[in-house]
Amino acid sequence: MIHKPIRKAIFPVAGLGTRFLPATKAVPKELLPVVDRPLIQYAVDEAREAGIEQMIFVTGRGKGAIEDYFDIAFESEVTQRERGKDLSALDGTRLLPGRAVFLRQQEPLGLGHAIWCARDIVGDEPFAILLPDEFMRGAPGNGCMKQMVAAYEKVGGNLVCALEVPMEETPNYGVIDPGARDGVLTEIKGLVEKPAPGAAPSNLILPGRYILQPEVMKILETQEKGAGGEIQLTDAMASLIGKQSFHGVTFDGRRFDCGSKAGYIEANLSLALEREDLGDHIRRFATEELAR
Ligand code: G1P
């Protein structure tokens, strides 16, 4: 069966980033770099690699720098070019005209509400969602969203990335009530957002990658507030289970929770160690530092 292609991705980037204050006082958290590329760039690259054409950013006040980031840096580029400088570091940072949409979530009413803000841009098509502070790192050319699109091409319907974490971490996440597993696919029987300690149906959480059918937008329209007093995407998805197909996809790769300081530092260290220009230096420094 041929499933409608996934052409659009939503990036919710309205969050205040309070965990990284004061760094995020004037700089959106999505522009914090992992080595030398902002977090949002990795997420956009991941979507592009999966064949996604249109990037929809749900922003908020104080997030204008994200829009500038994906534009041409006209003055700087002209000057650099005149000086014969190499501009290849900017490859992939300029989104083509018409391929980037920026819209605002005016109030912080929750992830579900942020997604709903993009309903008219998404229209009647299945779409992807990528939470940029969840940094998902697959093998080169086989990122998380690409793996999810490959699974979608087989089973269609709705898919969420599914990741195992220690049980005590489940209260921080959306959690899956899993059914049968078949290869990378796990049937989903239920979803619960931020369960109370000890109440999670499993240790399989939602690490912020989704492929959803457009009907979820209708549910979000009237979704009641859930965990934390926010309109939760997880609750809207949960009410579609049984009506539409829902699967979890086990991702082959590593995940860094860059919404936390520890995860962000781990991502920087891991990528720096992999880099040809930095790896040896950082390995030597880290070894010496640990021995101090
Ligand atoms: C959001 C989602 C949650 C998901 C998490 C991943 O929560 O609501 O289901 O597991 O992202 O990071 P937040 O971190 O915004 O509270």
Side-chain angles (χ1 to χ4, degrees):
M1 187 175 163
I2 305 289
H3 304 286
K4 268 195 186 178
I6 310 299
R7 300 190 312 123
K8 304 182 179 189
I10 304 178
F11 301 84
V13 292
L16 297 173
T18 46
R19 282 196 273 176
F20 280 88
L21 282 171
T24 48
K25 185 178 171 192
V27 176
K29 68 172 172 176
E30 296 78 12
L31 292 183
L32 297 180
V34 174
V35 183
D36 51 10
R37 294 169 84 72
L39 273 170
I40 188 72
Q41 180 75 56
Y42 293 100
V44 164
D45 289 347
E46 183 189 328
R48 217 174 350 213
E49 178 194 80
I52 289 165
E53 296 163 8
Q54 187 178 45
M55 314 298 168
I56 305 163
F57 301 88
V58 181
T59 76
R61 286 179 294 285
K63 296 282 184 152
I66 299 177
E67 196 164 345
D68 291 338
Y69 174 82
F70 285 111
D71 199 350
I72 295 174
F74 192 78
E75 291 76 5
S76 144
E77 289 185 32
V78 167
T79 316
Q80 304 263 75
R81 208 168 282 122
E82 275 171 8
R83 292 178 184 165
K85 293 263 164 64
D86 175 22
L87 290 177
S88 59
L90 297 179
D91 289 352
T93 64
R94 312 169 192 88
L95 292 177
L96 295 174
R99 291 286 167 87
V101 179
F102 295 85
L103 52 96
R104 281 191 179 198
Q105 182 190 28
Q106 290 158 323
E107 293 173 83
L109 297 177
L111 177 61
H113 178 261
I115 300 305
W116 175 79
C117 289
R119 65 202 177 282
D120 285 347
I121 315 291
V122 162
D124 190 24
E125 292 188 33
F127 60 99
I129 303 171
L130 297 92
L131 308 191
D133 54 9
E134 291 282 1
F135 182 18
M136 308 297 275
R137 193 155 172 78
N142 197 25
C144 185
M145 191 46 72
K146 190 164 180 185
Q147 294 178 30
M148 289 186 62
V149 167
Y152 169 81
E153 283 166 355
K154 288 193 193 125
V155 290
N158 301 274
L159 296 164
V160 292
C161 187
L163 182 95
E164 276 188 58
V165 298
M167 205 63 187
E168 61 273 18
E169 290 180 19
T170 52
N172 302 324
Y173 298 104
V175 183
I176 296 173
D177 182 3
R181 182 166 169 180
D182 178 11
V184 297
L185 289 172
T186 301
E187 192 192 320
I188 293 189
K189 294 196 298 186
L191 290 167
V192 36
E193 180 68 15
K194 306 207 170 71
S202 77
N203 67 338
L204 266 188
I205 63 124
L206 308 179
R209 295 293 182 278
Y210 312 79
I211 290 177
L212 298 178
Q213 297 299 316
E215 287 75 21
V216 75
M217 294 294 192
K218 277 269 162 287
I219 311 270
L220 283 168
E221 190 117 20
T222 53
Q223 184 63 54
E224 307 256 318
K225 288 181 178 170
E230 296 190 339
I231 298 172
Q232 296 291 355
L233 177 64
T234 304
D235 296 342
M237 293 190 301
S239 63
L240 277 173
I241 297 170
K243 301 189 184 111
Q244 295 189 344
S245 120
F246 249 98
H247 288 93
V249 181
T250 303
F251 162 57
D252 180 15
R254 297 183 71 189
R255 170 247 187 183
F256 299 96
D257 173 11
C258 288
S260 80
K261 285 175 207 173
Y264 176 71
I265 293 165
E266 283 167 21
N268 273 283
L269 181 60
S270 174
L271 261 70
L273 286 169
E274 276 177 22
R275 287 264 297 242
E276 251 176 51
D277 56 340
L278 293 169
D280 289 346
H281 178 102
I282 299 298
R283 190 165 293 106
R284 209 175 316 119
F285 172 77
T287 313
E288 283 164 18
E289 191 71 6
L290 287 170
R292 268 160 75 99

